[in-house]
Amino acid sequence: MPSTNSTAATQRIPFKCIQAIRGSCRGCLARSQLEDGTRRADMSPKEIDTLKATVNGAHDPMFRIFSPELVSLILTLCVHDSDEEAQIPEQRGCRRHLRRNGPHMPIVLSAVCRRWRDIALSTPQLWTSIFIKFDEADSIPTQQARANFVQEWLSRSGQLPLSIAIAFDTIVVSGRSKLDSESMFYPIVDIINGCSSRWKTLDVQVPGSLLPRIRGNSTGRSILKDIRIIRTDWPLYTESLKRLRLDGVKPSPTSVTMSRLDLRSLGILWDNVTHLDAMGLNLADCVKVLQKAPRMTHWRLDYIPDIEDADHPADGCKTLIIHHSLQSLDLWYITYPRLLLDQLTLPSLRHLRYHCSSFPASLSSLKSLLERSSSPLLALEIDLAVDGNKDHQDCIDLLRSVPTVRDLTLNSTQNMDTFLDLLGRTSMPHTLAEKDRFLPRLRRFSFTGERLFKWSKILEVFPCGDQLDHSFRRPLSSLNITICTERQDNHPDDCIEESLLPRLFELMEHNIHISIKGLDDEDWIERSACYHKELKDVTTL
């Protein structure tokens, strides 16, 4: 019979001990006695740690079920999701996000227990992504400790390709010169430079004065495929050119993100670039990049600096370009978009987002581009100008020139009745002459703006009765409307008329998705139905 002390110790075990069920578990009994204080005085701290590690190793469900190789794979999948590269948080004009599980997940996994730590340290795939944030307020010992940490982290990655993100906080610290603050950046960058032949992704967000420090170590070839360089300060016209160039080698990436830099600042080969996200390129560089990157399929351009004489641009800005590979174009806040659009022909363009409509003659230049390119455009998103019926008519003329569009998104503060009327009159496009057709292939339409239209106009977009199932009707099956104005509680003008609700529900029964929501994501159809029901109940009383 077990002793009373042994029975009491067994009852104190806080988890189910599988080995104890089969007879006894000395490790669990010893740990229970340790927690009870019975054996603590007889054991050294090292012996206590060893005992805890033994118990954890015997009862860890991961290691009971899976082999060490499978555990290593599971930990790797915990660290690296589908986007496995280290990235800096979002910056204006450039797409940024941290990995879902955070940049320090390998450290977290290593801290679970000794056996997990052993597996983590022997799995180089866990250590291939690193995010380093510099803060000018850090003390020198803190920076030295960080340099040692980075060196140790990278040594654990073996010889695998690396994803590196560097962010430098440019807050001025009282009592410390700019040179002193930036010099604290150098030791870690030297460590990073030492493994430049393994850079697969490089994500840098630093002032221009620090860019020349990131130069690699001139050994081996470059495997860099994704490069993101965000300059945190605006360049001065009087400063010397700040370049990022690797010593002895020119990378040939496929994806490039650059902000507040010109083409001369980035020492890369453009031949294999397929994706470019650029902010602050001047007009001449926009033309050059199309010449240098013949394989580019996706281009996002945010802000072109103002041109002193828009009517007489420099000779380098007058080159006509036919780019056969570009499929997606995303333009934002360009003051004189016609100076760029008038030079382009894009026969492969499929997706276009255009947020420059508030600038002079922009829609007419865009229409000319699309007609000149004869591209089979599938998706179009446009911001309409705040003022003027002319711009509204220009938009309709533009949409007439792109009959292949399937997805249309309009963001507007204008009255949309004319546009919705036109959609309604042409809802059966195959029964009309070709010149009278309007968006005959439209499948999804989204609108965001003020409600400067009648609710009934939405219903008129769709044919009535049996024509809803007719093969000749426009294949519009999704209508999404977001109203930007703030609603007023129980205000009848905000609600959809009661007589229109049955027609809306009929359309939904025919598998047509209709969503009408406000900025607070409230369903205006449901709210309107509730309002009319409550009004009836009050009237009945």
Side-chain angles (χ1 to χ4, degrees):
M1 258 184 91
S3 65
T4 305
N5 290 338
S6 175
T7 303
T10 303
Q11 293 173 350
R12 294 190 192 99
I13 298 174
F15 54 85
K16 188 175 182 180
C17 175
I18 295 178
Q19 295 190 39
I21 294 174
R22 294 198 296 262
S24 65
C25 178
R26 293 181 180 179
C28 289
L29 293 175
R31 192 182 76 169
S32 180
Q33 292 173 354
L34 178 66
E35 294 173 349
D36 190 38
T38 307
R39 295 186 55 191
R40 182 173 295 274
D42 300 332
M43 300 181 68
S44 66
K46 185 175 181 180
E47 289 175 327
I48 292 175
D49 290 342
T50 300
L51 174 60
K52 290 181 178 180
T54 301
V55 175
N56 289 340
H59 296 85
D60 190 327
M62 288 272 282
F63 289 95
R64 283 208 320 268
I65 300 173
F66 304 117
S67 66
E69 293 79 12
L70 280 177
V71 173
S72 176
L73 177 60
I74 291 170
L75 297 186
T76 301
L77 295 175
C78 288
V79 171
H80 299 306
D81 59 14
S82 58
D83 180 11
E84 63 181 29
E85 296 140 1
Q87 291 184 325
I88 297 170
E90 185 167 348
Q91 179 78 2
R92 179 181 178 268
C94 299
R95 292 162 290 182
R96 289 288 184 272
H97 59 279
L98 280 176
R99 217 171 42 249
R100 180 176 64 238
N101 293 322
H104 303 303
M105 183 57 70
I107 300 295
V108 174
L109 296 176
S110 300
V112 172
C113 66
R114 182 179 298 178
R115 197 164 184 185
W116 279 47
R117 176 176 173 79
D118 292 340
I119 291 291
L121 294 182
S122 61
T123 305
Q125 290 84 355
L126 295 182
W127 309 93
T128 56
S129 295
I130 185 169
F131 172 41
I132 308 165
K133 185 171 188 255
F134 294 89
D135 190 335
E136 291 180 350
D138 286 346
S139 63
I140 292 178
T142 300
Q143 294 290 354
Q144 291 174 340
R146 181 175 289 136
N148 295 334
F149 174 80
V150 171
Q151 183 73 65
E152 178 67 21
W153 184 294
L154 295 178
S155 68
R156 295 173 183 174
S157 65
Q159 294 301 312
L160 296 177
L162 297 173
S163 296
I164 295 175
I166 301 173
F168 190 89
D169 189 350
T170 57
I171 299 174
V172 177
V173 179
S174 176
R176 180 182 295 170
S177 69
K178 179 181 178 182
L179 181 61
D180 290 340
S181 296
E182 293 185 354
S183 65
M184 301 173 71
F185 175 84
Y186 299 162
I188 293 182
V189 172
D190 290 341
I191 296 172
I192 298 296
N193 284 333
C195 54
S196 60
S197 62
R198 296 197 286 135
W199 294 352
K200 180 183 177 184
T201 296
L202 181 64
D203 196 340
V204 177
Q205 183 175 309
V206 297
S209 57
L210 293 178
L211 284 177
R213 299 290 305 189
I214 305 171
R215 54 177 179 262
N217 61 359
S218 70
T219 61
R221 64 184 183 87
S222 174
I223 62 170
L224 191 59
K225 295 302 178 186
D226 189 348
I227 182 168
R228 307 178 181 97
I229 309 298
I230 310 300
R231 179 170 174 167
T232 57
D233 56 340
W234 282 100
L236 302 175
Y237 291 107
T238 56
E239 73 176 17
S240 59
L241 184 65
K242 307 300 183 185
R243 299 177 184 269
L244 188 148
R245 295 181 181 275
L246 302 189
D247 291 343
V249 65
K250 270 194 172 184
S252 182
T254 57
S255 178
V256 175
T257 297
M258 55 191 299
S259 177
R260 302 172 184 170
L261 298 170
D262 59 29
L263 292 188
R264 296 175 301 163
S265 301
L266 202 55
I268 65 171
L269 297 174
W270 290 87
D271 305 62
N272 293 318
V273 172
T274 58
H275 291 67
L276 173 62
D277 186 339
M279 175 184 175
L281 278 185
N282 60 49
L283 183 59
D285 277 351
C286 290
V287 174
K288 288 178 184 176
V289 78
L290 290 170
Q291 296 170 326
K292 290 175 174 287
R295 292 185 174 90
M296 185 166 64
T297 58
H298 294 72
W299 187 17
R300 186 184 192 277
L301 180 60
D302 185 355
Y303 174 68
I304 294 180
D306 289 349
I307 300 171
E308 292 184 7
D309 188 354
D311 294 324
H312 301 89
D315 290 339
C317 302
K318 297 179 181 178
T319 306
L320 298 179
I321 299 293
I322 301 178
H323 198 287
H324 293 279
S325 300
L326 194 64
Q327 299 179 17
S328 177
L329 180 61
D330 198 346
L331 299 178
W332 291 76
Y333 311 121
I334 301 174
T335 308
Y336 296 101
R338 64 178 179 84
L339 296 180
L340 176 64
L341 299 176
D342 289 349
Q343 300 179 74
L344 301 182
T345 300
L346 308 173
S348 299
L349 192 62
R350 300 289 189 276
H351 305 273
L352 174 63
R353 298 180 70 193
Y354 191 72
H355 298 266
C356 313
S357 300
S358 59
F359 301 110
S362 64
L363 288 182
S364 59
S365 293
L366 182 60
K367 177 175 178 287
S368 298
L369 164 64
L370 295 174
E371 290 177 339
R372 184 168 61 249
S373 301
S374 299
S375 55
L377 195 67
L378 300 179
L380 176 62
E381 178 176 340
I382 301 180
D383 279 353
L384 293 183
V386 176
D387 56 325
N389 292 325
K390 179 181 182 300
D391 291 324
H392 194 273
Q393 185 59 47
D394 283 348
C395 179
I396 291 178
D397 292 341
L398 168 65
L399 294 176
R400 285 190 180 276
S401 69
V402 285
T404 56
V405 165
R406 297 179 181 178
D407 297 322
L408 175 64
T409 300
L410 294 180
N411 306 310
S412 174
T413 55
Q414 298 184 13
N415 189 306
M416 295 296 292
D417 281 350
T418 302
F419 173 77
L420 296 174
D421 274 338
L422 183 56
L423 277 181
R425 294 198 309 271
T426 58
S427 62
M428 303 288 286
H430 297 292
T431 63
L432 304 173
E434 187 170 350
K435 65 180 181 62
D436 296 328
R437 296 176 184 178
F438 182 69
L439 298 175
R441 301 183 187 180
L442 186 64
R443 296 181 179 180
R444 288 172 287 274
F445 172 56
S446 300
F447 168 79
T448 300
E450 299 180 28
R451 193 182 73 81
L452 301 177
F453 57 85
K454 300 175 182 177
W455 290 118
S456 59
K457 297 296 181 182
I458 297 176
L459 303 180
E460 294 172 4
V461 168
F462 300 92
C464 299
D466 295 339
Q467 290 183 332
L468 271 177
D469 300 318
H470 204 290
S471 59
F472 283 175
R473 84 168 181 89
R474 180 187 288 115
L476 182 61
S477 59
S478 178
L479 180 63
N480 295 281
I481 297 177
T482 301
I483 307 300
C484 291
T485 51
E486 294 185 4
R487 70 175 182 85
Q488 302 179 26
D489 291 334
N490 298 323
H491 197 286
D493 291 341
D494 283 342
C495 293
I496 302 170
E497 293 94 320
E498 184 180 12
S499 60
L500 302 179
L501 292 177
R503 171 68 170 151
L504 278 173
F505 296 138
E506 177 192 4
L507 293 173
M508 295 178 186
E509 290 174 357
H510 281 76
N511 295 322
I512 296 175
H513 171 77
I514 298 180
S515 172
I516 304 176
K517 294 187 176 182
L519 289 177
D520 56 0
D521 207 37
E522 183 181 12
D523 189 327
W524 282 42
I525 299 177
E526 181 179 350
R527 183 170 69 87
S528 298
C530 292
Y531 169 77
H532 293 299
K533 182 178 182 301
E534 291 174 359
L535 189 62
K536 279 186 178 180
D537 293 342
V538 171
T539 305
T540 302
L541 293 176

